[in-house]
Amino acid sequence: NVVCLALLARAGGVRRLLGDRPYLRGSDVGYGLIWLFVLFVPFAAAINLVVLLLHGPSGYGAAFETIFVPPPGAELVLGPGVSLALAAVVAVLFPVTNAPVEELYYRGHAQGRLEDRGAHPAVVVLVPALLFGLQHVFLAPSSAAMLVYAVAFASWGATAGVIYRRQRRLMPLIVAHFVTNLMTAAVPLALLLTVG
């Protein structure tokens, strides 16, 4: 994320992608919180639909325990000090770097390039969304989760792409993405601190 952000900044892309008012406004926060809930609906629906299709109605409930948990023995065991330090770094850096970089790259840069080349609006939204979904496959703890992540994150990306095409402002999407990442990074850190 840091390298991608530096490359976008070096090419003058960050300021250009953020528009003529690159700063965070109160309306960006408000829209960001609204978009957070709007983005969550297709994301959660995609997760549930793929799990249902993979495991059927009878295996649906138990599937979550196997899909989103690494298989036994697959965990990397580190000492408590190293685990706490890595968790702290991730909790601090992940939300701050990941949200702006992914929104700048996928919604701003990729969609902008496709628009500049005259691509059909569906292509402008769907190609970056599919790439966004594929990128998140690497976070999956199991092979079944890879499919779930790909579809769910592509759904998030497509919805965010439509919002960006309509609103033409990245900051609200960065806010929504930041809050999502903050929740996913801060909760495990809090649990680690209370257990450790």
Side-chain angles (χ1 to χ4, degrees):
N1 286 329
V2 173
V3 170
C4 287
L5 187 58
L7 290 172
L8 281 170
R10 185 172 177 216
V14 173
R15 187 168 299 249
R16 180 182 49 78
L17 292 172
L18 289 175
D20 58 343
R21 295 173 295 186
Y23 50 86
L24 182 66
R25 303 179 308 197
S27 62
D28 292 335
V29 174
Y31 274 117
L33 295 175
I34 291 168
W35 298 146
L36 174 67
F37 291 103
V38 169
L39 290 162
F40 180 75
V41 171
F43 182 79
I47 289 172
N48 286 286
L49 179 62
V50 173
V51 171
L52 185 62
L53 291 173
L54 287 174
H55 295 279
S58 61
Y60 173 78
F64 284 90
E65 293 177 20
T66 58
I67 290 176
F68 299 108
V69 177
E75 305 90 11
L76 177 62
V77 179
L78 303 170
V82 173
S83 295
L84 185 58
L86 287 174
V89 168
V90 168
V92 172
L93 287 180
F94 177 69
V96 174
T97 61
N98 182 265
V101 168
E102 287 186 351
E103 294 308 323
L104 285 164
Y105 184 75
Y106 288 106
R107 260 52 79 192
H109 177 72
Q111 281 191 210
R113 286 290 186 117
L114 289 167
E115 279 182 349
D116 291 347
R117 293 179 181 190
H120 187 275
V123 172
V124 168
V125 169
L126 291 178
V127 168
L130 292 173
L131 293 172
F132 182 71
L134 289 175
Q135 173 194 339
H136 287 84
V137 164
F138 297 105
L139 303 174
S142 69
S143 57
M146 293 172 97
L147 178 61
V148 174
Y149 279 30
V151 173
F153 282 99
S155 297
W156 169 289
T159 307
V162 169
I163 290 169
Y164 178 62
R165 280 188 54 83
R166 300 252 184 218
Q167 198 173 36
R168 291 291 181 201
R169 185 120 175 100
L170 281 173
M171 271 305 181
L173 291 169
I174 291 171
V175 168
H177 200 145
F178 174 79
V179 171
T180 301
N181 288 352
L182 186 63
M183 290 186 295
T184 59
V187 171
L189 179 61
L191 289 174
L192 184 63
L193 290 172
T194 58
V195 172

